Amino acid sequence: MTVHTDFTNTDFLAHIRNDTLTAHLLEEHLRGVSALAAEFAAEFGAAPWAALAGIWHDLGKYRDGFQRYIRQCGDPDAHIEGRVAGPEKTHSAAGALWAQQYLAEVDKRSGPVVARVLAYLIAGHHAGLDNWFGGLNERFHREDTVREGRDALAAAIPDSILKPPGGLPELKAIRSDHELNIPGRFALWVRMLFSCLVDADFLDTETFMSPGVAATRKGFAAMADLENLLAGRLAQMAEEVAVRGEADTPVNRKRAEVLRACLAKAECPPGVFSLTVPTGGGKTLSSLAFALRHAVRHGKRRVIYAIPYTSIIEQTAGIFRSIFGDENVIEHHSNVEVDEKQETARSRLACENWDAPLIVTTNVQLLESLFASRTSRCRKLHNLVGSIIVLDEAQLLPVPYLQPVVDVLRLLVKDYGVTLVLCTATQPTLEGRNGFDQARQLRGFAAGEIHEIVDDVAGLYAALERVKVHLPADLKMRASWEQLAAEIASHDAVLAVVGRRADARELYTRVKAEDRTGLWHLSGLICAQHRSDTIADIKQALLVRRQALAVGQTPPPIRVISTQLVEAGVDIDFPIVYRALAGLDSIAQAAGRCNREGRLDKGEVHVFVPPKPAPPGLLRMAEQATQILWEALPPEADPMGVERFAEFFRRLYGDSILDAKEICNLLRAGQVGDVNFRIAAERFRLIDEAEGATVFVRYKRNADDNAIDMLLNTLKKEGPQRWLLRKLQRYGVSIYAKDLRRLEGQGDIEPLGGDFPGLYVQSSGNDVLYDRVLGLNVDGAPGDPGNFVQ
């Protein structure tokens, strides 16, 4: 890219860096974006479409008003439409209007169809993808929009920009909904093109505005190198197990078998795979071994490892970084996002585009991005093409959105070269099936389309059976907190798992009254850094306990009260686990923290009916499905047998509406390519933004710990940057809007302000809001703002 310091009044400018008084010429920007967008879209056979969108996306900047403004205002955000009010600042509609005009002249048959696609892309490259009817269609007829197009085309635009060579894109490249009978196929194709345009625009602008940042986007390790690094770590772990004399234990033998199966099946052709392994069977690193070998064998570009809970993402990402290095792993949460309505040149640099070989993210971030309309959320999507997506704990796919989620997963596999791995101990039933109620039929994967990696799942479960499950005599009789606290306090090493934050706090308080020693608390009211530190302390206490027992000493007690966040990905091992009645999958996950390493003949899992039922909705339906299933079992049957899970999910899905917000209908392409992008994105919210917000808490492990203060000071001084937001994620706590209003009114928290609407920070003078054990003091919080961010 050429940096111009001698631009004249007749030059058309795209951007100005006021710190160096250098200019980015508009024609150069258009050609750069066009070439880069085409390169991205070539991965799915749509390069000509992206090239046209790129060459025309900023035609509105040729307007005299915009050129005067960008020279005079001294604002580094001048090129960002919507950042500053005023008709001369708008520029995203002109290219879309020109597409309709020019293409109609060139080809009266296909021009309108091509123009419709380009209109979505170009008109939305700042504000996001819009609906056609009630959105773009009306916008293109407004007087100000028509004036924008007229003013831009009155400028001396080179013919090579207005009428680029190469002809029209082929219409057969359009992904029709009807061809696969999957609603949303056309919408996903447009969204992928949009991703190519937006990322190309961001990157080309970044190269000019922040060349130092742009330079850091290179130098990732090759997939083959990552595979070798993982192989080395696995060999080292096997050697450590052998040194301890534990290589021949039943658990470690089966873990080795699972790893061998993953490496063998990685040679299979791309498609859909399931990895069904009991909790504690080593599925995290085994699934990653599958993904990396599969990527090397089949030329896949990256691995996306999606995890249901923000509470465990940092643990998994930490493991991966220890193997592959920080530079090759991106840890992308869902609760720290710059508000796009307040976008700035600096905030754009903080936007993720998943340009590393290994991405660790949340289900919320991945799935909401696949239905998003915002530029910042869509930017990363083209990097999913030719990737491997591992859905860890696949049973936690959101039931009210299950149909559109399964539709988009099928499309990624069929149209975009994605290999999908459904990884869990409690495999959901995602094959298509028929039923009387259309709303409760899953339009799923075809029979035989999902290939199981482990050949003998039932045998694996039988070999790894490590616990005995005790059910209450009456599944309708509720226990009291007093009774539960007394039972838990009577055990020296016990984990108790409940369904709500408030329940965890209540039970912790009562157990503490029974016995104050050796007690820990885990819930979503403590930040990720606090959770990591607490889990590390618990693991160390468990290690000390094992060492003490080995030499005949009496160890100190270890009692942990937790919400369900401990059930996924947290590698702890207790002899006794208590679990509140819940969905069968959740109870199985809790059981996986009991006798995890198989050191006992059998661990003990006690299921209890909590004092209060689960909140209305999915959690209560899951609890009731388990209750009905268990009440029908004969006395000798195993309540946690592997065969129970298919029956549980059939019942749960059959009792649920699988497209509760009618996303599928919103994304169906009409006869004129009309799609409700914006409405669908607003409805596909796994966590309702109106119900909660993120608060950065001032958690400190000790008096000398000033990490959070340094991060917040850097944020206020330098603005949003990707590395900074990634670090701050570890100090965020999600709370309800009503609690937010109360805490803000009391002066306990304050808004970050600036580029961060919706983000808050614990007031610097308040030292009591955040408790070193219980976390953020939100009195009476009824539970999590979302089941996916505990």
Side-chain angles (χ1 to χ4, degrees):
M1 174 180 291
T2 303
V3 176
H4 301 272
T5 58
D6 56 349
F7 56 90
T8 69
N9 288 335
T10 59
D11 288 324
F12 292 101
L13 309 183
H15 315 103
I16 290 180
R17 280 181 60 191
N18 291 322
D19 58 338
T20 57
L21 295 179
T22 55
H24 191 188
L25 297 186
L26 180 53
E27 182 174 346
E28 182 180 301
H29 175 57
L30 295 177
R31 295 192 185 283
V33 172
S34 178
L36 194 54
E39 178 185 330
F40 294 154
E43 295 288 342
F44 54 98
W49 295 85
L52 265 184
I55 204 73
W56 289 342
H57 82 285
D58 269 356
L59 287 186
K61 288 185 177 180
Y62 278 101
R63 302 170 68 194
D64 285 344
F66 182 86
Q67 290 299 313
R68 285 194 303 272
Y69 172 65
I70 197 170
R71 282 172 165 83
Q72 297 169 4
C73 69
D75 183 356
D77 303 328
H79 63 284
I80 299 178
E81 183 173 281
R83 179 65 175 166
V84 182
E88 71 274 17
K89 312 341 181 265
T90 60
H91 61 266
S92 64
L97 290 171
W98 171 245
Q100 295 179 77
Q101 176 184 329
Y102 173 67
L103 295 175
E105 295 173 0
V106 172
D107 189 333
K108 297 185 185 302
R109 179 185 61 84
S110 61
V113 181
V114 178
R116 179 69 49 84
V117 173
L118 294 173
Y120 283 123
L121 307 179
I122 297 171
H125 81 273
H126 278 286
L129 290 168
D130 204 351
N131 309 322
W132 182 255
F133 293 117
L136 291 183
N137 188 47
E138 283 74 2
R139 178 184 174 187
F140 290 152
H141 290 87
R142 293 201 318 250
E143 182 180 347
D144 59 333
T145 305
V146 173
R147 183 169 58 251
E148 176 190 328
R150 183 179 63 242
D151 292 349
L153 295 175
I157 306 176
D159 274 354
S160 59
I161 295 294
L162 284 178
K163 302 174 182 180
L168 294 180
E170 292 188 30
L171 291 179
K172 67 180 182 180
I174 293 179
R175 302 288 167 82
S176 166
D177 286 19
H178 306 291
E179 189 175 340
L180 292 176
N181 194 29
I182 302 178
R185 193 179 190 219
F186 171 76
L188 181 59
W189 179 73
V190 171
R191 196 178 283 107
M192 283 289 187
L193 280 170
F194 185 65
S195 169
C196 295
L197 172 63
V198 169
D199 195 27
D201 186 22
F202 280 28
L203 289 173
D204 190 74
T205 303
E206 178 184 81
T207 300
F208 169 74
M209 300 290 284
S210 300
V213 173
T216 65
R217 294 182 178 274
K218 301 175 183 178
F220 299 121
M223 282 292 176
D225 295 332
L226 298 184
E227 184 188 15
N228 290 335
L229 287 171
L230 179 60
R233 173 60 63 87
L234 292 171
Q236 177 188 351
M237 292 169 62
E239 183 177 344
E240 291 170 354
V241 168
V243 169
R244 295 196 303 266
E246 298 177 352
D248 200 38
T249 65
V251 170
N252 283 323
R253 285 200 306 270
K254 289 301 177 184
R255 286 174 179 166
E257 288 180 18
V258 169
L259 176 60
R260 287 194 294 270
C262 285
L263 294 174
K265 293 292 178 68
E267 307 284 348
C268 295
V272 187
F273 295 85
S274 58
L275 177 59
T276 310
V277 176
T279 301
K283 59 183 173 61
T284 299
L285 290 182
S286 292
S287 62
L288 183 61
F290 170 93
L292 291 177
R293 175 161 294 186
H294 189 80
V296 172
R297 297 298 186 272
H298 299 287
K300 299 301 181 184
R301 301 194 300 160
R302 58 183 44 84
V303 175
I304 292 92
Y305 207 99
I307 297 172
Y309 298 130
T310 57
S311 57
I312 60 169
I313 184 176
E314 66 274 0
Q315 174 178 288
T316 303
I319 293 171
F320 292 172
R321 280 195 295 266
S322 72
I323 300 172
F324 307 114
D326 291 351
E327 67 279 5
N328 292 309
V329 181
I330 286 177
E331 176 185 343
H332 192 194
H333 293 224
S334 54
N335 59 346
V336 181
E337 296 268 332
V338 176
D339 191 318
E340 197 163 78
K341 296 176 183 177
Q342 301 293 326
E343 188 178 71
T344 67
R346 290 195 303 178
S347 74
R348 283 189 163 205
L349 302 184
C351 171
E352 291 285 4
N353 71 340
W354 288 7
D355 54 357
L358 180 55
I359 315 298
V360 185
T361 189
T362 61
N363 286 2
V364 173
Q365 181 61 244
L366 172 64
L367 297 179
E368 287 192 355
S369 296
L370 285 164
F371 293 89
S373 62
R374 295 179 180 180
T375 56
S376 60
R377 275 291 179 94
C378 290
R379 180 185 179 186
K380 66 181 81 71
L381 291 181
H382 72 90
N383 278 325
L384 295 178
V385 178
S387 69
I388 301 168
I389 298 177
V390 180
L391 290 179
D392 193 27
E393 309 301 347
Q395 78 282 359
L396 292 172
L397 289 174
V399 176
Y401 300 92
L402 189 63
Q403 187 59 72
V405 165
V406 171
D407 283 346
V408 79
L409 292 176
R410 292 173 65 200
L411 289 170
L412 288 174
V413 173
K414 292 180 179 296
D415 289 344
Y416 300 99
V418 167
T419 286
L420 178 66
V421 183
L422 304 168
C423 186
T424 178
T426 55
Q427 201 66 239
T429 52
L430 298 182
E431 294 83 5
R433 60 184 186 278
N434 297 319
F436 178 75
D437 188 342
Q438 291 289 329
R440 291 172 169 80
Q441 293 182 37
L442 180 64
R443 183 176 52 248
F445 294 97
E449 187 178 356
I450 302 176
H451 306 284
E452 175 57 50
I453 292 174
V454 175
D455 291 328
D456 183 10
V457 172
L460 178 64
Y461 273 71
L464 290 179
E465 186 178 356
R466 290 157 289 172
V467 302
K468 179 174 178 56
V469 178
H470 303 274
L471 303 184
D474 185 347
L475 286 165
K476 294 185 174 65
M477 180 66 68
R478 299 197 174 276
S480 67
W481 291 127
E482 293 86 354
Q483 172 192 345
L484 291 167
E487 283 191 42
I488 291 167
S490 69
H491 298 290
D492 290 332
V494 60
L495 166 67
V497 183
V498 294
R500 310 183 193 204
R501 293 171 168 181
D503 290 354
R505 183 173 291 221
E506 175 76 20
L507 186 55
Y508 173 89
T509 302
R510 291 181 180 272
V511 174
K512 186 176 181 180
E514 295 279 341
D515 187 340
R516 301 175 63 87
T517 59
L519 185 59
W520 284 267
H521 165 272
L522 288 167
S523 85
L525 287 174
I526 66 177
C527 67
Q529 184 62 52
H530 189 173
R531 282 194 297 268
S532 294
D533 292 340
T534 302
I535 290 170
D537 289 344
I538 293 168
K539 288 183 175 181
Q540 179 61 30
L542 288 169
L543 176 61
V544 170
R545 179 178 186 275
R546 289 198 301 272
Q547 292 171 341
L549 291 174
V551 295
Q553 297 177 355
T554 301
I558 307 172
R559 305 181 184 104
V560 177
I561 313 299
S562 178
T563 61
Q564 58 264 42
L565 70 83
V566 79
E567 292 175 349
V570 180
D571 185 8
I572 53 178
D573 185 1
F574 280 85
I576 298 172
V577 169
Y578 278 70
R579 182 49 166 109
L581 182 65
L584 190 65
D585 55 326
S586 295
I587 297 172
Q589 293 293 335
R593 316 304 136 187
C594 183
N595 195 24
R596 187 179 182 87
E597 299 299 327
R599 294 186 175 92
L600 306 173
D601 180 36
K602 285 288 177 69
E604 304 289 332
V605 175
H606 299 269
V607 178
F608 63 90
V609 185
K612 295 186 292 185
L618 180 62
L619 293 179
R620 186 173 296 182
M621 291 170 60
E623 179 183 295
Q624 291 171 345
T626 303
Q627 184 182 56
I628 293 170
L629 181 67
W630 278 350
E631 286 178 336
L633 286 181
E636 68 278 3
D638 178 5
M640 301 299 295
V642 66
E643 66 276 10
R644 306 276 171 264
F645 298 114
E647 184 178 349
F648 168 77
F649 283 111
R650 279 194 295 269
R651 180 178 295 278
L652 180 63
Y653 295 164
D655 290 342
S656 305
I657 296 176
L658 305 181
D659 186 11
K661 299 296 183 68
E662 299 185 338
I663 304 296
C664 295
N665 285 334
L666 290 170
L667 293 179
R668 291 179 189 274
Q671 293 298 317
V672 292
D674 51 302
V675 176
N676 291 292
F677 285 107
R678 178 175 50 78
I679 297 175
E682 290 170 352
R683 290 190 185 180
F684 194 97
R685 302 298 296 174
L686 303 184
I687 306 165
D688 192 339
E689 289 179 335
E691 293 184 1
T694 296
V695 176
F696 294 121
V697 297
R698 298 183 184 275
Y699 163 71
K700 299 183 178 183
R701 185 166 177 81
N702 52 54
D704 297 328
D705 183 2
N706 63 348
I708 180 61
D709 295 330
M710 294 176 63
L711 291 172
L712 289 171
N713 289 337
T714 304
L715 181 68
K716 291 179 179 179
K717 180 180 178 181
E718 300 180 11
Q721 302 172 67
R722 275 173 296 165
W723 71 268
L724 185 55
L725 290 181
R726 290 172 189 168
K727 288 183 177 295
L728 277 169
Q729 288 171 150
R730 299 185 62 77
Y731 294 90
V733 175
S734 297
I735 64 173
Y736 280 107
K738 65 179 184 63
D739 297 318
L740 176 80
R741 290 191 294 269
R742 186 181 71 254
L743 293 176
E744 187 176 13
Q746 295 170 178
D748 293 327
I749 62 174
E750 55 194 22
L752 275 176
D755 301 325
F756 304 96
L759 297 180
Y760 296 79
V761 62
Q762 179 182 344
S763 299
S764 57
N766 189 327
D767 296 328
V768 297
L769 180 66
Y770 193 82
D771 186 88
R772 288 281 304 278
V773 174
L774 297 176
L776 191 64
N777 185 12
V778 184
D779 292 332
D784 297 339
N787 296 327
F788 300 92
V789 286
Q790 299 212 39

